[in-house]
Amino acid sequence: MTECVSTKPSRASKSLDPHIESVSVASLIAADSPRLAGENVEHANMLAQSETKFPPIIVHRSSMTIIDGIHRLRAAMLQGQDEVDVKYFDGSEKDAFVLAVESNVQHGLPLTLSDRTAAAGRIVKSYPEWSDRAIAAATGLAAKTVAAIRRRPATGEVSQLHMRIGRDGKARPVNSAEGRRLASTLLAENPDASLREVAQAAGVSPGTVRDVRQRLRRNEDPVPPRQRRAELNAAQKARAAKGGSTAAIGGLDQKRATQALMRDPQLRMSEEGRLLLRLFATSIVNKRQQQRLIEWIPRRWRSIITELSYSRSRDWYQFAKQLEACEERADDEQVLEAVG
């Protein structure tokens, strides 16, 4: 499994006091270690036999719990020392655990894969807003591994978060498609707004806003086809996992999708857009309306209306397929232009 240990300073280490103090070994508490198997006696004995001066132990000031350096403490005790040098950490207990994981990933006796996986699950619960890459950097795992841990039922999301914080401290949308749609709405309402302004408001990068603006100028969907298909597949899987839903068709809630179309100024202010909105508005019938019509339609017209309904559905299917093919060609052409 790929590892990606970060060399950048962590958020947690910002609360680390650089001053070194000597404290009694009896005042220190060994607890809450990221090592599932606890201390390694052989490693502590090996350190005790070394003549090298140990670096300071990192201690959580408010609880006097050892964050990093339990084996150095045991080695010092085996050498008969009554005091050890420490650096204090002044953050929260959750930050202390993150620092313990980061410290043990970057030096000393390596954490096992099980240690790091368990630590990642704990950090996901403590900081669900952190990005997969940020947690991966802290635990020495791959971002894909953290994403898989996040999806585990035993881990679970604490809440349905729309943003996550990356390693650079910036918040970004979990679903970039939603960020693109928000950017398109902001651009429609404020066409003179700068890329940076829209990017900050929508939680996406200026480059993404530039791409959205170009797509809108070409009358294209702000979300690329491949991303929309991925979004559709995810929605279908989620719906299937819940036992299916009759309120959505093809991964979209018809009522919400139509309302979103109705709010788009570009559609409302053009003849073609208004025609499209009228077609959608007249074609949407909820289940209660369907049942009412089925019970009311005279028997002599049932076969004809059935065939007309099938014909309309085939027309809409062909319309959808042609529109999808057109968008895929445009997307592929844009990729070729960017590469060329």
Side-chain angles (χ1 to χ4, degrees):
M1 188 172 293
T2 305
E3 296 185 2
C4 51
V5 180
S6 172
T7 58
K8 295 176 64 177
S10 68
R11 296 190 194 91
S13 63
K14 293 179 180 178
S15 298
L16 186 61
D17 189 337
H19 299 97
I20 300 173
E21 296 184 18
S22 292
V23 301
S24 168
V25 295
S27 66
L28 301 178
I29 301 172
D32 203 23
S33 170
R35 300 184 188 278
L36 300 177
E39 300 173 34
N40 186 306
V41 177
E42 293 182 0
H43 185 66
N45 288 331
M46 181 189 68
L47 291 178
Q49 296 172 10
S50 172
E51 297 181 358
T52 305
K53 181 176 175 58
F54 302 141
I57 294 170
I58 300 177
V59 177
H60 190 217
R61 192 193 300 270
S62 61
S63 64
M64 295 302 288
T65 301
I66 298 171
I67 295 174
D68 178 46
I70 183 62
H71 292 110
R72 278 170 276 159
L73 174 65
R74 295 306 179 196
M77 294 173 67
L78 289 172
Q79 292 175 345
Q81 299 182 33
D82 296 325
E83 294 186 343
V84 290
D85 291 341
V86 304
K87 284 185 178 181
Y88 285 113
F89 176 77
D90 293 306
S92 66
E93 291 185 1
K94 293 191 298 184
D95 280 340
F97 180 78
V98 173
L99 182 57
V101 176
E102 290 177 328
S103 300
N104 283 279
V105 164
Q106 295 173 5
H107 64 255
L109 182 65
L111 294 176
T112 66
L113 179 59
S114 297
D115 293 338
R116 288 179 283 140
T117 302
R122 178 169 169 178
I123 296 173
V124 165
K125 288 184 176 181
S126 297
Y127 296 102
E129 72 277 13
W130 283 16
S131 70
D132 293 338
R133 290 185 179 277
I135 297 176
T139 57
L141 296 171
K144 290 183 178 179
T145 303
V146 175
I149 293 171
R150 193 188 294 272
R151 291 192 296 268
R152 291 177 180 175
T155 304
E157 291 280 9
V158 174
S159 60
Q160 294 297 323
L161 298 172
H162 300 291
M163 306 290 287
R164 287 193 190 142
I165 301 173
R167 293 169 57 187
D168 57 2
K170 295 181 179 179
R172 294 180 177 83
V174 174
N175 185 347
S176 60
E178 291 303 319
R180 281 176 169 270
R181 293 189 181 101
L182 177 56
S184 69
T185 301
L186 295 173
L187 288 170
E189 296 174 350
N190 304 278
D192 297 327
S194 68
L195 297 178
R196 189 172 298 278
E197 289 174 332
V198 176
Q200 184 174 3
V204 296
S205 69
T208 298
V209 178
R210 182 184 297 106
D211 181 68
V212 169
R213 175 173 281 170
Q214 292 172 349
R215 287 179 177 277
L216 293 178
R217 288 173 177 170
R218 297 193 298 266
N219 291 323
E220 298 176 359
D221 193 300
V223 182
R226 292 181 180 85
Q227 195 170 359
R228 293 203 307 275
R229 286 196 293 272
E231 190 178 36
L232 174 61
N233 291 336
Q236 290 173 335
K237 289 180 180 178
R239 195 167 62 256
K242 295 179 180 180
S245 171
T246 58
I249 296 179
L252 288 178
D253 183 304
Q254 293 189 75
K255 183 177 180 180
R256 291 185 179 181
T258 304
Q259 290 175 345
L261 291 174
M262 294 292 185
R263 291 194 297 266
D264 191 329
Q266 187 176 12
L267 297 181
R268 296 201 315 265
M269 298 178 184
S270 64
E271 183 178 349
E272 293 82 358
R274 289 192 293 271
L275 171 61
L276 182 65
L277 293 177
R278 286 198 298 273
L279 290 173
F280 275 118
T282 57
S283 67
I284 294 178
V285 181
N286 61 40
K287 290 194 67 177
R288 181 177 298 179
Q289 291 172 324
Q290 289 179 14
Q291 190 61 37
R292 179 182 175 185
L293 289 174
I294 290 171
E295 294 174 356
W296 178 86
I297 292 173
R299 184 173 182 180
R300 65 181 181 277
W301 290 111
R302 288 176 185 172
S303 60
I304 293 178
I305 293 176
T306 298
E307 183 56 35
L308 283 173
S309 298
Y310 276 123
S311 177
R312 292 292 185 273
S313 66
R314 287 192 292 269
D315 290 342
W316 274 110
Y317 177 78
Q318 291 298 325
F319 177 79
K321 295 298 290 183
Q322 293 177 31
L323 186 62
E324 184 180 40
C326 179
E327 180 63 5
E328 288 179 351
R329 287 196 300 271
D331 191 61
D332 291 340
E333 290 173 359
Q334 185 178 10
V335 171
L336 291 175
E337 289 178 1
V339 174

